[in-house]
Amino acid sequence: MTTTTLDSPERRQTEAAVPAPSATQVYVTIHGHFYQPPRENPYLERIERQPSAAPFQDWNERIYAECYRPNAFARIFSDQGEVLAIVNNYEYLSFNIGPTLLSWLENHDPEVYQRILEADRLSCRRLGGHGNAIAQVYNHIILPLANERDKYTQVQWGVADFRHRFGREPEGIWLAETAVDQETLRVLIDEGIKFTILAPSQAEACRPFGEEEWRVVNGGQIDPTRPYRCFIEDGRFIDIFFYDGPISRDLGFGDVLNSSDFLAGRLGQAVRGDFRPSQLLALATDGETFGHHKGSAERCLAYAFTQEFPRRGWQTTNFAHYLSLYPPQWEVCLKPVTAWSCCHGVDRWQADCGCGGGGDWHQRWRAPLRESLNWLRDQLAELYQTAALRYFQDPWQARREYVEVILNRGLERVNQFLSRHQTRPLRPQERADALRLLEMQRYSLLMFTSCGWFFDEISRPEGAQILRYGARAMELAAEVTGIDLEPEFIARLEPAPSNVPQFQNGRRVYEELVSPAKISLAQVAAHYAMSSLFTPYGPQQSLYCYQTEQVDYHKQQLGALTLALGQVNLTSTITWESQTFTFAALHLGGWDFHCCVQPTQGRGRYGRLKQKLLQTLASASAAQVILAMNDYFGAQSFSLPNLFPAERQRIMRVLTAQTQRNLDQLYTQVYRDNYSVLVAFQRDELPVPPEIQVAAEIALAHRCDQILEALSQSSEDGVSPQSLTQELEAIAQEARYLNCRLRLPEGQAILERLILEGLQALLPSENPRREETSQRLIQLIGLGRQLNLSLNLDRPQELYFYCLHPQRLNQNSADSPALVALGQALGVSLV
């Protein structure tokens, strides 16, 4: 056990700092570790569709809808199911949110992002300047397995990201998987971190200040109701909180979140009657527990924070605030290398330890994967050190501060960064190479994201993702230095056995899941060309992480053939490299596309191509057009599968739209022709032939979608919304009579949008049509119920609660009966 001596100045100073307690008090801190791994495609900086997250686009969106947003607007309901209050749980939770997740949230839902920042500001105000938010190591690397340089960068980037977002210095930090060793503690202390949070199983022994004998606390026996001080070899220290293990496990795997009464009752069992001046009931779990893993658990928290805990006289606080009131009076010695989710130290991220496994699958792939990436990291570091000296005064200082650019990739910020670090003014190509090198280092950090080893198979999405980051790092290295590390890296992956026969080993995983996912700049140009057949681009427009500048564009259609040709300049917003491409994209009708691109080689040559292709198109010969394209561009071509997934899937929907319209018409005719038959079966309570039932449901849903679309355009088209609404009500009645279940995903989205827009129109208090608009919204909400749609009214509820509730407007309910009725329709209590 490594500690300072008992008479060290640091320990004497610590003992003198303990304030005299004023009164016995129970404090409660519930910590949520909110985190999602970086999922962005390294070539596009965008998360691609993940089918397993359906009906959402990806897992970030799904967990956002189930957890991150509900906790920002957590409901407290009356016994009648009406909304009594809306609570920002982040104002009461102690929390860390991973930088990569916060970056995604900032773009995906600025409102929720701002609620999180505001919650920290409010908690600072409530708790003497100590906010609920703490930092996190940047991209969830297992720090004991990282080299020293990466340890520091992970903490420095995490702190810089926190400072940028929350506007203050973090007092504490969350370690990925709470993985810790002495070297990690030293890095935290060097970077000014005051405390961290660990599992009780990570403590080896403890003792009060002034005592020589250590008390062994193996098996998680340490008392979690007090903070501890951990000294390192040089006498410096960091404070540590241990969460209550049994109750924290119950949060994730028990039923204590079923109600706030259960939660408070379980916490009450941990209150100690030893007459100490204070005690802290500290819990910690994955933040996603509150809503994603445990549906509606955010409601339990909201009521506990605002009602149940105050009723029992408990104060909700955070670790930093508690530490300011009650500094440690005990010190702790930690086990050498530990984490909260592995009982074998940190072997879950480097060995076949069994953690995270199940059934017959092994994890023998973990060690070769770790060794391969360690080798790659070291190779990339050598290349960086050598190449970056041409551009940066101190390459590693430039890497440490590169987080400033990651947080703001605007050209002005990039230029400021480069002017501060460059050895001399850089030419455009040199500037691009300098940024490539820094991006190479960023990916060398991302490829160690812990999730890549957490589960039981290398070919899972998490394993493939970190390999994609490694592939991108090697590609950037080759672009700058000309050195190709990929062949040896792939060979080093071969000893990593997969549990899936299709993949065999890490080499096959790389070849089948990583290599095909690489994207060249030419493919970006091809995507632009083919998508322009369906989506008109402006003169300048964003396309993923590229800026497009349309140099020339011409589109011509002849019969089933459509030809787009032109020139586009692509500029990466990551490295700011630019290149101009000439393209030609031919749509032959249906699913057939032929696209060619190449770097532009001069205006004259492009002019001749343009003239020849347009003349050839006039002959209406697709074969001749393709031959002319191949003659100019060469044999390489692109087709529909080469489009990036989101746009490819959108175009697939466009291409099938006509088929769907034809089928809708067919089903509608079947329904009309057999309406009397359907009614007869229903009258005599006989099973309806499924072919007729399906035709009726599709026909009625199709008509419903058409009217809802017309309703959304009624203000522009001059159509009476009232008549359309009455027609929808008639369809709903017909569907009920015929026992038809209507599937209306698009129609439901339209109805939800109309309700939200209607609420927004009510905000100006002088709105002369407030009563009329309120009545129309009540009708739309009722229409959703008649159509058996599970309308998501969260945002309308929030808008009403914060901006239109009669009590907030200081209005008598009798003065605005329609507004009151609207609140009732939205399910908001007016008490």
Side-chain angles (χ1 to χ4, degrees), residues 693-711:
Q693 186 72 24
V694 167
E697 292 178 352
I698 292 177
L700 290 174
H702 173 58
R703 181 60 182 148
C704 209
D705 278 333
Q706 286 181 320
I707 300 173
L708 283 167
E709 182 63 36
L711 189 63

PDB file of all heavy atoms in Angstrom, residues 693-711:
ATOM      1  N   GLN A 693     -59.673  -7.454 -45.739  1.00  0.00           N
ATOM      2  CA  GLN A 693     -59.363  -6.624 -44.568  1.00  0.00           C
ATOM      3  C   GLN A 693     -58.120  -5.771 -44.821  1.00  0.00           C
ATOM      4  O   GLN A 693     -58.100  -4.576 -44.523  1.00  0.00           O
ATOM      5  CB  GLN A 693     -59.151  -7.519 -43.345  1.00  0.00           C
ATOM      6  CG  GLN A 693     -58.958  -6.756 -42.042  1.00  0.00           C
ATOM      7  CD  GLN A 693     -60.230  -6.106 -41.542  1.00  0.00           C
ATOM      8  OE1 GLN A 693     -61.320  -6.551 -41.877  1.00  0.00           O
ATOM      9  NE2 GLN A 693     -60.101  -5.045 -40.768  1.00  0.00           N
ATOM     10  N   VAL A 694     -57.098  -6.399 -45.387  1.00  0.00           N
ATOM     11  CA  VAL A 694     -55.864  -5.663 -45.680  1.00  0.00           C
ATOM     12  C   VAL A 694     -56.129  -4.559 -46.692  1.00  0.00           C
ATOM     13  O   VAL A 694     -55.644  -3.432 -46.559  1.00  0.00           O
ATOM     14  CB  VAL A 694     -54.772  -6.634 -46.196  1.00  0.00           C
ATOM     15  CG1 VAL A 694     -53.609  -5.856 -46.796  1.00  0.00           C
ATOM     16  CG2 VAL A 694     -54.290  -7.529 -45.072  1.00  0.00           C
ATOM     17  N   ALA A 695     -56.927  -4.859 -47.713  1.00  0.00           N
ATOM     18  CA  ALA A 695     -57.254  -3.847 -48.724  1.00  0.00           C
ATOM     19  C   ALA A 695     -57.962  -2.662 -48.084  1.00  0.00           C
ATOM     20  O   ALA A 695     -57.679  -1.498 -48.411  1.00  0.00           O
ATOM     21  CB  ALA A 695     -58.113  -4.457 -49.827  1.00  0.00           C
ATOM     22  N   ALA A 696     -58.883  -2.941 -47.167  1.00  0.00           N
ATOM     23  CA  ALA A 696     -59.606  -1.859 -46.496  1.00  0.00           C
ATOM     24  C   ALA A 696     -58.663  -1.008 -45.661  1.00  0.00           C
ATOM     25  O   ALA A 696     -58.732   0.235 -45.691  1.00  0.00           O
ATOM     26  CB  ALA A 696     -60.708  -2.452 -45.611  1.00  0.00           C
ATOM     27  N   GLU A 697     -57.765  -1.636 -44.908  1.00  0.00           N
ATOM     28  CA  GLU A 697     -56.855  -0.886 -44.044  1.00  0.00           C
ATOM     29  C   GLU A 697     -55.901  -0.027 -44.860  1.00  0.00           C
ATOM     30  O   GLU A 697     -55.635   1.132 -44.517  1.00  0.00           O
ATOM     31  CB  GLU A 697     -56.099  -1.856 -43.137  1.00  0.00           C
ATOM     32  CG  GLU A 697     -57.000  -2.521 -42.104  1.00  0.00           C
ATOM     33  CD  GLU A 697     -56.264  -3.521 -41.237  1.00  0.00           C
ATOM     34  OE1 GLU A 697     -55.082  -3.812 -41.535  1.00  0.00           O
ATOM     35  OE2 GLU A 697     -56.868  -4.019 -40.266  1.00  0.00           O
ATOM     36  N   ILE A 698     -55.376  -0.576 -45.947  1.00  0.00           N
ATOM     37  CA  ILE A 698     -54.453   0.192 -46.780  1.00  0.00           C
ATOM     38  C   ILE A 698     -55.178   1.337 -47.476  1.00  0.00           C
ATOM     39  O   ILE A 698     -54.679   2.470 -47.548  1.00  0.00           O
ATOM     40  CB  ILE A 698     -53.763  -0.728 -47.807  1.00  0.00           C
ATOM     41  CG1 ILE A 698     -52.826  -1.708 -47.091  1.00  0.00           C
ATOM     42  CG2 ILE A 698     -52.988   0.091 -48.835  1.00  0.00           C
ATOM     43  CD1 ILE A 698     -52.159  -2.714 -48.002  1.00  0.00           C
ATOM     44  N   ALA A 699     -56.391   1.074 -47.977  1.00  0.00           N
ATOM     45  CA  ALA A 699     -57.148   2.110 -48.684  1.00  0.00           C
ATOM     46  C   ALA A 699     -57.508   3.258 -47.747  1.00  0.00           C
ATOM     47  O   ALA A 699     -57.348   4.440 -48.105  1.00  0.00           O
ATOM     48  CB  ALA A 699     -58.413   1.505 -49.289  1.00  0.00           C
ATOM     49  N   LEU A 700     -57.983   2.944 -46.549  1.00  0.00           N
ATOM     50  CA  LEU A 700     -58.361   3.995 -45.606  1.00  0.00           C
ATOM     51  C   LEU A 700     -57.130   4.765 -45.112  1.00  0.00           C
ATOM     52  O   LEU A 700     -57.179   5.987 -44.953  1.00  0.00           O
ATOM     53  CB  LEU A 700     -59.114   3.388 -44.424  1.00  0.00           C
ATOM     54  CG  LEU A 700     -60.523   2.862 -44.738  1.00  0.00           C
ATOM     55  CD1 LEU A 700     -61.112   2.142 -43.526  1.00  0.00           C
ATOM     56  CD2 LEU A 700     -61.434   4.001 -45.179  1.00  0.00           C
ATOM     57  N   ALA A 701     -56.025   4.055 -44.869  1.00  0.00           N
ATOM     58  CA  ALA A 701     -54.795   4.731 -44.431  1.00  0.00           C
ATOM     59  C   ALA A 701     -54.272   5.656 -45.520  1.00  0.00           C
ATOM     60  O   ALA A 701     -53.809   6.771 -45.239  1.00  0.00           O
ATOM     61  CB  ALA A 701     -53.740   3.694 -44.054  1.00  0.00           C
ATOM     62  N   HIS A 702     -54.345   5.199 -46.769  1.00  0.00           N
ATOM     63  CA  HIS A 702     -53.886   6.022 -47.883  1.00  0.00           C
ATOM     64  C   HIS A 702     -54.722   7.301 -47.981  1.00  0.00           C
ATOM     65  O   HIS A 702     -54.177   8.401 -48.140  1.00  0.00           O
ATOM     66  CB  HIS A 702     -53.992   5.224 -49.189  1.00  0.00           C
ATOM     67  CG  HIS A 702     -53.699   6.030 -50.422  1.00  0.00           C
ATOM     68  ND1 HIS A 702     -52.503   6.681 -50.625  1.00  0.00           N
ATOM     69  CD2 HIS A 702     -54.469   6.280 -51.526  1.00  0.00           C
ATOM     70  CE1 HIS A 702     -52.533   7.305 -51.794  1.00  0.00           C
ATOM     71  NE2 HIS A 702     -53.721   7.084 -52.357  1.00  0.00           N
ATOM     72  N   ARG A 703     -56.032   7.160 -47.872  1.00  0.00           N
ATOM     73  CA  ARG A 703     -56.897   8.336 -47.934  1.00  0.00           C
ATOM     74  C   ARG A 703     -56.619   9.267 -46.755  1.00  0.00           C
ATOM     75  O   ARG A 703     -56.600  10.495 -46.902  1.00  0.00           O
ATOM     76  CB  ARG A 703     -58.366   7.884 -47.923  1.00  0.00           C
ATOM     77  CG  ARG A 703     -59.375   9.026 -47.999  1.00  0.00           C
ATOM     78  CD  ARG A 703     -59.218   9.832 -49.255  1.00  0.00           C
ATOM     79  NE  ARG A 703     -60.136  10.957 -49.312  1.00  0.00           N
ATOM     80  CZ  ARG A 703     -59.869  12.112 -49.908  1.00  0.00           C
ATOM     81  NH1 ARG A 703     -58.685  12.295 -50.491  1.00  0.00           N
ATOM     82  NH2 ARG A 703     -60.752  13.079 -49.930  1.00  0.00           N
ATOM     83  N   CYS A 704     -56.384   8.698 -45.610  1.00  0.00           N
ATOM     84  CA  CYS A 704     -56.096   9.484 -44.412  1.00  0.00           C
ATOM     85  C   CYS A 704     -54.798  10.287 -44.590  1.00  0.00           C
ATOM     86  O   CYS A 704     -54.734  11.477 -44.267  1.00  0.00           O
ATOM     87  CB  CYS A 704     -55.974   8.552 -43.219  1.00  0.00           C
ATOM     88  SG  CYS A 704     -56.430   9.296 -41.660  1.00  0.00           S
ATOM     89  N   ASP A 705     -53.762   9.638 -45.109  1.00  0.00           N
ATOM     90  CA  ASP A 705     -52.491  10.329 -45.351  1.00  0.00           C
ATOM     91  C   ASP A 705     -52.678  11.490 -46.326  1.00  0.00           C
ATOM     92  O   ASP A 705     -52.101  12.574 -46.150  1.00  0.00           O
ATOM     93  CB  ASP A 705     -51.456   9.344 -45.908  1.00  0.00           C
ATOM     94  CG  ASP A 705     -50.792   8.519 -44.815  1.00  0.00           C
ATOM     95  OD1 ASP A 705     -50.716   9.001 -43.671  1.00  0.00           O
ATOM     96  OD2 ASP A 705     -50.355   7.391 -45.112  1.00  0.00           O
ATOM     97  N   GLN A 706     -53.489  11.267 -47.372  1.00  0.00           N
ATOM     98  CA  GLN A 706     -53.720  12.323 -48.360  1.00  0.00           C
ATOM     99  C   GLN A 706     -54.385  13.541 -47.719  1.00  0.00           C
ATOM    100  O   GLN A 706     -53.996  14.689 -47.977  1.00  0.00           O
ATOM    101  CB  GLN A 706     -54.608  11.791 -49.494  1.00  0.00           C
ATOM    102  CG  GLN A 706     -53.906  10.849 -50.461  1.00  0.00           C
ATOM    103  CD  GLN A 706     -54.827  10.389 -51.572  1.00  0.00           C
ATOM    104  OE1 GLN A 706     -56.004  10.098 -51.344  1.00  0.00           O
ATOM    105  NE2 GLN A 706     -54.302  10.346 -52.801  1.00  0.00           N
ATOM    106  N   ILE A 707     -55.356  13.300 -46.878  1.00  0.00           N
ATOM    107  CA  ILE A 707     -56.079  14.417 -46.268  1.00  0.00           C
ATOM    108  C   ILE A 707     -55.201  15.133 -45.241  1.00  0.00           C
ATOM    109  O   ILE A 707     -55.221  16.364 -45.144  1.00  0.00           O
ATOM    110  CB  ILE A 707     -57.385  13.917 -45.617  1.00  0.00           C
ATOM    111  CG1 ILE A 707     -58.278  13.279 -46.682  1.00  0.00           C
ATOM    112  CG2 ILE A 707     -58.117  15.055 -44.929  1.00  0.00           C
ATOM    113  CD1 ILE A 707     -59.512  12.608 -46.122  1.00  0.00           C
ATOM    114  N   LEU A 708     -54.428  14.370 -44.489  1.00  0.00           N
ATOM    115  CA  LEU A 708     -53.521  15.007 -43.525  1.00  0.00           C
ATOM    116  C   LEU A 708     -52.492  15.871 -44.245  1.00  0.00           C
ATOM    117  O   LEU A 708     -52.142  16.962 -43.774  1.00  0.00           O
ATOM    118  CB  LEU A 708     -52.830  13.943 -42.670  1.00  0.00           C
ATOM    119  CG  LEU A 708     -53.698  13.343 -41.556  1.00  0.00           C
ATOM    120  CD1 LEU A 708     -53.040  12.095 -40.982  1.00  0.00           C
ATOM    121  CD2 LEU A 708     -53.926  14.374 -40.450  1.00  0.00           C
ATOM    122  N   GLU A 709     -51.995  15.397 -45.375  1.00  0.00           N
ATOM    123  CA  GLU A 709     -51.067  16.202 -46.164  1.00  0.00           C
ATOM    124  C   GLU A 709     -51.768  17.468 -46.661  1.00  0.00           C
ATOM    125  O   GLU A 709     -51.188  18.574 -46.619  1.00  0.00           O
ATOM    126  CB  GLU A 709     -50.544  15.386 -47.347  1.00  0.00           C
ATOM    127  CG  GLU A 709     -49.536  16.120 -48.218  1.00  0.00           C
ATOM    128  CD  GLU A 709     -48.278  16.492 -47.479  1.00  0.00           C
ATOM    129  OE1 GLU A 709     -47.826  15.716 -46.622  1.00  0.00           O
ATOM    130  OE2 GLU A 709     -47.737  17.587 -47.761  1.00  0.00           O
ATOM    131  N   ALA A 710     -53.004  17.324 -47.116  1.00  0.00           N
ATOM    132  CA  ALA A 710     -53.766  18.506 -47.556  1.00  0.00           C
ATOM    133  C   ALA A 710     -54.014  19.455 -46.389  1.00  0.00           C
ATOM    134  O   ALA A 710     -53.959  20.680 -46.548  1.00  0.00           O
ATOM    135  CB  ALA A 710     -55.092  18.061 -48.172  1.00  0.00           C
ATOM    136  N   LEU A 711     -54.244  18.894 -45.203  1.00  0.00           N
ATOM    137  CA  LEU A 711     -54.464  19.719 -44.018  1.00  0.00           C
ATOM    138  C   LEU A 711     -53.225  20.539 -43.684  1.00  0.00           C
ATOM    139  O   LEU A 711     -53.321  21.701 -43.281  1.00  0.00           O
ATOM    140  CB  LEU A 711     -54.850  18.825 -42.839  1.00  0.00           C
ATOM    141  CG  LEU A 711     -55.317  19.522 -41.556  1.00  0.00           C
ATOM    142  CD1 LEU A 711     -56.590  20.315 -41.802  1.00  0.00           C
ATOM    143  CD2 LEU A 711     -55.529  18.501 -40.447  1.00  0.00           C
TER     144      LEU A 711
END
